Each structure stands twice: as C-alpha cells, then as structure tokens.
Amino acid sequence: MDEPRYDEATKTYTTGHSYDGIEELNTPLPRWWLWSLYATIVWAVIYSIAYPAWPLVSTATAGFLGYSTRAEVAAEIARVEEANSELNTQLAAIELTTLKDNETLHQFAVSAGASVFANNCSQCHGSGAAGAVGYPNLLDDDWLWGGDIEAIALTVRHGIRNEQDEDARYSEMPAFGEQLEKDEIAALVAYVQSLSGLDHDTALIEQGAELFADNCTACHGDEGMGDRDQGAPNLTDSVWLYGSSDEVLTETIANSRFGVMPPWSPRLSDAQVNAVAAYVHQKGGGE
C-alpha cells in the first residue's frame, strides 16, 4: 500500500490503494448524503425511545409515549362490539327458527357467523365448509345429528363425543374386530357397499345381510338408513365420511371411528353460536 498523495488533476488525495497502476481517490461523500444519514440515525434513536422497539424475553420496550398497536386493535374491537351490542343481544335471545323473519338480524348473523367460522371452524371443515376425510362436509344434506338450524346450534354449543360438556352429542360404534372374524367383516363390507350401490363381492351378500341384521341394525336401522338420534350414519347414500373402499370400510368396522368435536360454548357467546349456526345453515346443506 502506497502513501496517500495529493492528486493535482482532481484536487483530491488518494487512498494509497493502487490496482494495476490505477490509484483510488479518497473522494468524500456528498454533504447532503451525510446529513441525511445522520438524520435517519437520530430519527431511529428517537423512535426507539418513544415507541415499542427493543425485544425483551417475553415482551418489548414500551416506549415513553405508551403507544400499542394491540391496544389500538382492542379499542377498535370494543368500538365495533359496542356498535353491534343491540343486535348481539337480540341474536342471543332469538328463537332460531324465526331468525329468517328478521331480515336485518339474519344478515347480521350470517356476516358475523362467517367470521366466527373462519376463526374457529375452518381448520377442520375447510374455509369453504366442504370438509375433508373424517371432517363432515357442511354443504350437503347428510347430517349425522340433524341439519336444521337449532340442531346445528346445539352441536356447535356442546360438541360431539368430548369429555368437557355433559350435553355433548355422544355415540360410539363398537370395534367389531374384537367380535367378528376377518371373513365376517369382509362379508359386512360387501353388504354395506351394496346398500349404496357400490361395487361389491356378490357372493358375500347373504352372509353380510345376516351379520348386519345381528350387529348393525340397532343403530343403522333395518334398511341401513341411519338414526340421527344416535348419530348413526345413513349407509344407503353416496356420502362417506372416511371413504367407502374395501380397506377403509374394513378399518371402520374392525376398529370403529370416534371423531371428536369440542364444545364451543365456553369460548363463544350465545350470539356467536347462533351466528355461526345461521352461517352454516344458509351455506346450502342446512335443512
């Protein structure tokens, strides 16, 4: 590295660096740029003191102005709740079967219910309520516990097969793998498939019908059309919660299914429960 020298041509000192005979000039930064940099530094220091900025273990520095985006959001939520308080009071107390008679309240319920559904229900039933394997499609007419608006509200409020709510919908299918042989389960699979017109092993139908009568009719009925009071599925339609292949039905019969839905009443108000019931009911599958 050479000693810096004064370059007469540019009236600027060099840095002492030379590359293939080309010297590097020590050209100072423009004053306006430097002052802009200093201003941003000063602004950053003032901002970090005045507003929340520096992360700590479980929180962050609050800033001497006490500003909080969370408090701002909470205040906005409180403002909206206050504005809708009268409608929510009406919605919590209304007889759901008469909700559609009040057009304004029904529109409010559906709109509010969409938000409740997106925040609490879409994780299982999907953003469009079409469900998934093991999670019911709420757009069709196949309802294990009933699809009128009051039945939907009851299901939302108390849930299904949970241990938190004494009024939860409850039913339990036995694991027939503990009672029946593999060939008997195969015969039951074939018979159940025949009830809904699916491809099946016709040679097993007679045996399957006898086994169905002995083991399944108490819940699913003589014709296999199910029983909503027990949450027993209709086996004669094309709607299958877990699937209708040989493998899936064998698994279902041998080991049973036990889907659980939490009770939403501890987390949702009566108005929110009624709102999401109204939203689900009007999606197309409600009865």
Side-chain angles (χ1 to χ4, degrees):
M1 180 174 178
D2 299 331
E3 289 292 327
R5 69 176 187 82
Y6 185 76
D7 182 67
E8 291 290 346
T10 59
K11 309 300 184 186
T12 305
Y13 282 94
T14 65
T15 63
H17 297 157
S18 178
Y19 305 94
D20 294 332
I22 301 174
E23 294 181 293
E24 179 184 4
L25 295 175
N26 189 11
T27 305
L29 293 169
R31 290 283 181 172
W32 67 267
W33 193 95
L34 280 174
W35 284 113
S36 297
L37 174 62
Y38 298 149
T40 59
I41 294 172
V42 172
W43 169 256
V45 171
I46 294 174
Y47 187 94
S48 65
I49 295 173
Y51 292 93
W54 297 101
L56 303 175
V57 175
S58 59
T59 182
T61 55
F64 70 81
L65 292 181
Y67 175 77
S68 169
T69 53
R70 290 189 177 185
E72 209 172 54
V73 171
E76 179 63 14
I77 291 174
R79 183 190 68 78
V80 173
E81 288 180 347
E82 177 63 26
N84 293 330
S85 60
E86 184 176 346
L87 287 171
N88 278 318
T89 299
Q90 294 178 32
L91 183 56
I94 196 170
E95 182 72 33
L96 285 175
T97 54
T98 67
L99 180 58
K100 280 192 173 182
D101 298 336
N102 187 329
E103 185 177 352
T104 299
L105 188 60
H106 182 254
Q107 289 179 352
F108 170 76
V110 171
S111 178
S115 297
V116 174
F117 186 92
N119 290 331
N120 300 281
C121 313
S122 60
Q123 293 85 349
C124 292
H125 294 285
S127 59
V133 175
Y135 300 97
N137 180 355
L138 305 179
L139 306 178
D140 59 25
D141 291 325
D142 202 72
W143 294 84
L144 287 177
W145 302 94
D148 61 75
I149 192 169
E150 289 182 316
I152 294 171
L154 184 64
T155 300
V156 172
R157 182 171 283 108
H158 300 295
I160 297 172
R161 302 187 192 94
N162 62 73
E163 298 180 355
Q164 293 78 43
D165 194 313
E166 293 181 353
D167 295 319
R169 309 276 203 180
Y170 201 93
S171 65
E172 185 171 356
M173 176 179 172
F176 285 101
E178 301 171 359
Q179 307 170 34
L180 302 177
E181 301 296 330
K182 289 184 178 180
D183 61 328
E184 293 177 314
I185 292 176
L188 264 179
V189 167
Y191 180 73
V192 168
Q193 289 172 330
S194 74
L195 291 176
S196 56
L198 297 170
D199 291 336
H200 58 278
D201 188 340
T202 56
L204 299 176
I205 291 300
E206 185 175 347
Q207 181 188 10
E210 292 179 3
L211 289 165
F212 188 88
D214 292 339
N215 297 279
C216 310
T217 55
C219 294
H220 294 284
D222 293 338
E223 305 299 326
M225 297 185 68
D227 181 0
R228 286 182 171 180
D229 291 335
Q230 302 182 68
N234 180 356
L235 306 178
T236 65
D237 59 21
S238 59
V239 179
W240 296 86
L241 188 56
Y242 292 92
S244 59
S245 67
D246 290 355
E247 295 78 9
V248 169
L249 287 179
T250 298
E251 171 69 18
T252 298
I253 294 172
N255 299 313
S256 82
R257 304 289 183 176
F258 196 77
V260 176
M261 174 179 170
W264 289 100
S265 55
R267 285 168 279 188
L268 301 179
S269 66
D270 287 341
Q272 288 175 313
V273 169
N274 289 346
V276 76
Y279 171 74
V280 170
H281 185 258
Q282 59 83 48
K283 289 291 285 182
E287 299 169 340

